[in-house]
């Protein structure tokens, strides 16, 4: 059985991928915190403790691997991916998979998050190693982050439709990509089947999961940024900026080729909400 190294497996979107690949492939997890990782994954995985900025640990992790799945976020995403790709070339890795974003393209690199992803993609595409890049829209799993205590809120008016995708459908696509030659050297737009406004999606979520919350508030961007600065909430500032970006740019991309090669998502928002504990 081929070995796939998962980098960023403890991340929200890395964990379900590692778990879905396990069994079909031998999965090696590259982790910084072994205790935290074992609580999530147990003992049936191969672990390498390390950091992408520590060359020796990264080199050891890639020994005898067929593929590397990259699930990074934040400011290290571009530099981290470039380091991983350089090591992958040296270690004769046969396949790289990577999570990017739906609206990543040359026209959107004015926004820092998109710029990091654009250049991370560039490093992968120009490596010569067969790759599959996933470009997902918003995940359904992001919705609970917009509920704090007894309040639910979105930033800005959000007039555009999003095709929320469930992480389990995405993880299935990653597995299929490793199983199909047709998926090599492609970027796949990952969208769910139904378009819905962000606020409506959040309203559906709280109606079922937090019925004591009677309405979803809309926080203007300026107010969100002010609150974030005053209360020193970095994540809030970043999320508000991201939502403002999406309001302007929209959810780009066409998922038809993805549906044809990697399969049609099966989990509707309604079904996903019902499954949440
Ligand atoms: N949420 C959405 O709706 C959405 C939509 C489209 C695309 N995306 C993209 O999906 C990507 C992954 O998201 P996520 O939520 O899974 O991210 P995340 O939860 O922040 O996970 C990041 C992972 O990277 C690991 N990591 C960070 N620095 C590392 C280092 N120096 N060495 C080794 N590992 C390191 C973290 O490990 P530790 O556990 O040790 O910190 C963690 O496992 C992001 O780039 C995001 O932009 C998200």
């Amino acid at each position: 059985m081929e070995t796939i190294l998962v980098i960023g497996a403890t991340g929200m979107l890395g964990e379900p991928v590692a778990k879905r690949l396990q069994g079909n492939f031998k999965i090696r997890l590259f982790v910084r915190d072994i205790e935290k990782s074992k609580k999530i994954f147990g003992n049936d995985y191969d672990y390498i403790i390390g950091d992408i900025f520590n060359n020796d640990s990264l080199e050891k992790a890639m020994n005898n691997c067929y593929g590397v799945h990259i699930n990074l976020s934040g400011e290290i995403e571009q530099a981290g991916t470039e380091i991983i790709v350089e090591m992958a070339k040296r270690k004769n890795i046969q396949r790289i998979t990577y999570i990017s974003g739906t609206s990543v393209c040359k026209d959107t690199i004015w926004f820092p998050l998109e710029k990091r992803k654009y250049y991370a993609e560039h490093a992968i595409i120009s490596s010569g190693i067969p790759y599959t890049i996933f470009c997902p829209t918003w995940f359904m799993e992001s919705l609970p982050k917009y509920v704090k205590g007894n309040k639910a809120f979105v930033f800005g008016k959000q007039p555009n439709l999003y095709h929320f995708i469930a992480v389990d459908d995405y993880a299935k696509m990653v597995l299929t990509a490793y199983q199909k030659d047709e998926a090599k050297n492609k970027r796949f737009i990952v969208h769910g089947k139904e378009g819905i406004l962000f606020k409506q999606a959040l309203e559906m979520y709280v109606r079922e999961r937090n019925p004591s919350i009677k309405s979803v508030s809309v926080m203007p961007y300026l107010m969100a940024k002010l609150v974030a600065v005053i209360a020193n909430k970095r994540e809030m500032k970043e999320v508000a900026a991201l939502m403002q970006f999406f309001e302007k740019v929209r959810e780009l991309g066409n998922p038809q080729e993805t549906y044809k090669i990697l399969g049609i998502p099966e989990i509707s928002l309604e079904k996903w909400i019902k499954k949440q504990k």
Side-chain angles (χ1 to χ4, degrees):
M1 203 183 274
E2 313 268 26
T3 300
I4 296 175
L5 179 69
V6 179
I7 299 177
T10 51
M12 180 178 93
L13 304 173
E15 178 190 334
V17 169
K19 287 182 174 169
R20 172 65 69 165
L21 294 176
Q22 172 80 325
N24 294 280
F25 294 89
K26 188 167 178 234
I27 299 305
R28 185 178 293 164
L29 306 176
F30 186 65
V31 301
R32 297 193 290 185
D33 182 337
I34 188 76
E35 278 179 28
K36 170 181 161 182
S37 307
K38 285 205 167 175
K39 271 191 197 138
I40 301 171
F41 291 99
N43 291 320
D44 292 342
Y45 291 76
D46 183 13
Y47 292 92
I48 299 282
I49 303 168
D51 189 298
I52 48 175
F53 298 108
N54 174 318
N55 243 26
D56 291 348
S57 63
L58 192 59
E59 180 164 15
K60 186 174 162 207
M62 285 194 203
N63 277 341
N64 304 315
C65 281
Y66 164 77
V68 176
H69 178 70
I70 306 170
N71 183 86
L72 293 174
S73 68
E75 286 177 10
I76 58 139
E77 191 171 352
Q78 181 192 338
T81 303
E82 286 167 353
I83 287 172
I84 293 165
V85 168
E86 280 312 304
M87 186 61 79
K89 286 197 238 172
R90 281 179 44 203
K91 301 297 284 184
N92 200 23
I93 295 298
Q94 302 297 302
R95 192 77 183 274
I96 294 181
T97 50
Y98 164 66
I99 183 165
S100 182
T102 193
S103 297
V104 174
C105 63
K106 185 103 195 179
D107 291 344
T108 60
I109 59 174
W110 53 268
F111 189 68
L113 180 143
E114 303 287 298
K115 185 177 179 185
R116 294 192 290 264
K117 287 183 181 297
Y118 181 82
Y119 286 108
E121 284 193 23
H122 176 75
I124 292 167
I125 292 168
S126 55
S127 69
I129 299 172
Y131 65 85
T132 307
I133 294 172
F134 300 90
C135 304
T137 185
W138 292 86
F139 280 91
M140 296 174 190
E141 282 71 9
S142 302
L143 290 171
K145 294 186 177 172
Y146 293 81
V147 180
K148 299 275 182 229
N150 61 355
K151 285 199 165 49
F153 52 89
V154 292
F155 302 115
K157 291 200 180 79
Q158 296 303 324
N160 307 318
L161 297 180
Y162 297 107
H163 296 78
F164 285 84
I165 179 94
V167 78
D168 284 347
D169 274 328
Y170 155 68
K172 225 187 270 178
M173 289 178 181
V174 179
L175 172 60
T176 307
Y178 271 105
Q179 293 170 327
K180 281 194 171 180
D181 274 352
E182 262 179 294
K184 280 184 183 166
N185 299 327
K186 284 203 153 57
R187 285 179 92 241
F188 287 110
I189 298 293
V190 179
H191 290 176
K193 294 286 287 173
E194 317 150 312
I196 186 169
L197 295 175
F198 206 107
K199 185 164 177 275
Q200 282 176 343
L202 192 55
E203 282 164 353
M204 270 174 76
Y205 176 78
V206 294
R207 210 177 299 131
E208 190 75 27
R209 305 308 323 160
N210 308 74
S212 62
I213 300 177
K214 296 299 172 210
S215 67
V216 170
S217 314
V218 174
M219 195 185 288
Y221 296 117
L222 189 61
M223 189 196 285
K225 285 174 189 173
L226 271 173
V227 172
V229 170
I230 292 163
N232 199 18
K233 291 188 172 168
R234 189 170 168 205
E235 194 189 347
M236 183 173 175
K237 189 174 161 210
E238 287 172 359
V239 174
L242 186 62
M243 295 201 85
Q244 193 167 20
F245 164 81
F246 268 101
E247 184 168 323
K248 190 178 165 92
V249 166
R250 295 165 176 258
E251 172 197 72
L252 301 178
N254 181 335
Q256 291 314 316
E257 189 182 28
T258 311
Y259 294 166
K260 196 165 146 247
I261 298 178
L262 302 182
I264 296 176
E266 288 172 359
I267 305 169
S268 65
L269 185 59
E270 193 183 355
K271 192 167 158 190
W272 178 84
I273 290 170
K274 291 237 177 321
K275 264 183 69 185
Q276 303 312 297
K277 297 205 181 72

